[in-house]
């Protein structure tokens, strides 16, 4: 290093590289997600935003985005979630089958979560609002 040379500004690490997967998924008043498949790469940080693009109330048409473990039983999680009193509908007795989840949202709301992509494989995502998982589910693929 030259003595007297101007000090260069530190270059910030790029945040637009492959280390972050930015994902947006919508849920609507027709009880549908707008994506049935989400692909990310192993080792990526996932920044996922769920948007409820409808107008219905959380108590009538709430949506969340719940990522299940590889060996989870979606129907069992969905049925347990329907029995929970809490509006979040995250069943305490099935929490070991859930990797990560957003908040439950009503129309017009959104929530962003960040998590590390799990090991490569195919996972299931779902909405745990009572009665929604049969229509509101999809594959989360880690390549
Ligand atoms: Cu839903």
């Amino acid at each position: 290093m030259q003595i007297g040379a101007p000090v260069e500004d530190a270059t910030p690490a790029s945040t637009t590289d492959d280390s972050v997967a930015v994902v947006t998924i919508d849920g609507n008043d027709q009880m549908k997600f707008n994506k049935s498949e989400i692909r990310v790469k192993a080792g990526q940080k996932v920044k996922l935003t769920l948007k409820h693009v409808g107008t219905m109330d959380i108590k009538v048409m709430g949506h969340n985005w719940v990522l299940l473990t590889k060996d989870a039983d979606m129907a069992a999680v969905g049925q347990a979630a329907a029995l929970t009193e809490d509006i979040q509908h995250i069943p305490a007795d099935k929490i070991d089958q859930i990797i990560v989840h957003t908040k439950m949202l009503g129309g017009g709301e959104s929530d962003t979560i960040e998590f590390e992509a799990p090991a490569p494989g195919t996972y299931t995502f779902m909405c745990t609002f009572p009665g929604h998982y049969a229509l509101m589910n999809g594959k989360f693929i880690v390549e």
Side-chain angles (χ1 to χ4, degrees), residues 27-72:
N28 64 19
D29 284 346
Q30 285 71 49
M31 211 195 293
K32 291 261 176 66
F33 284 129
N34 69 338
K35 287 188 168 80
S36 58
E37 191 179 291
I38 294 170
R39 285 178 183 269
V40 302
K41 293 189 175 72
Q44 280 185 315
K45 180 199 266 190
V46 182
K47 189 174 178 184
L48 181 139
T49 299
L50 172 66
K51 286 184 189 166
H52 190 320
V53 296
T55 60
M56 291 172 77
D57 191 87
I58 188 172
K59 295 194 186 83
V60 181
M61 185 57 72
H63 299 313
N64 62 4
W65 186 91
V66 177
L67 180 62
L68 302 182
T69 58
K70 218 180 279 186
D71 56 355

Side-chain angles (χ1 to χ4, degrees), residues 108-124:
E109 297 180 323
S110 70
D111 187 34
T112 299
I113 54 172
E114 291 188 12
F115 58 97
E116 301 295 327
T122 300
Y123 300 77
T124 297

Side-chain angles (χ1 to χ4, degrees), residues 68 73-86 88-98 126-131 133:
L68 302 182
D73 180 339
M74 180 177 72
V77 174
Q79 286 158 19
L83 297 175
T84 62
E85 300 279 326
D86 189 81
Q88 297 300 320
H89 293 294
I90 298 299
D93 59 336
K94 301 289 184 212
I95 202 77
D96 58 325
Q97 296 186 41
I98 294 172
M126 66 186 292
C127 171
T128 61
F129 192 88
Y133 72 87

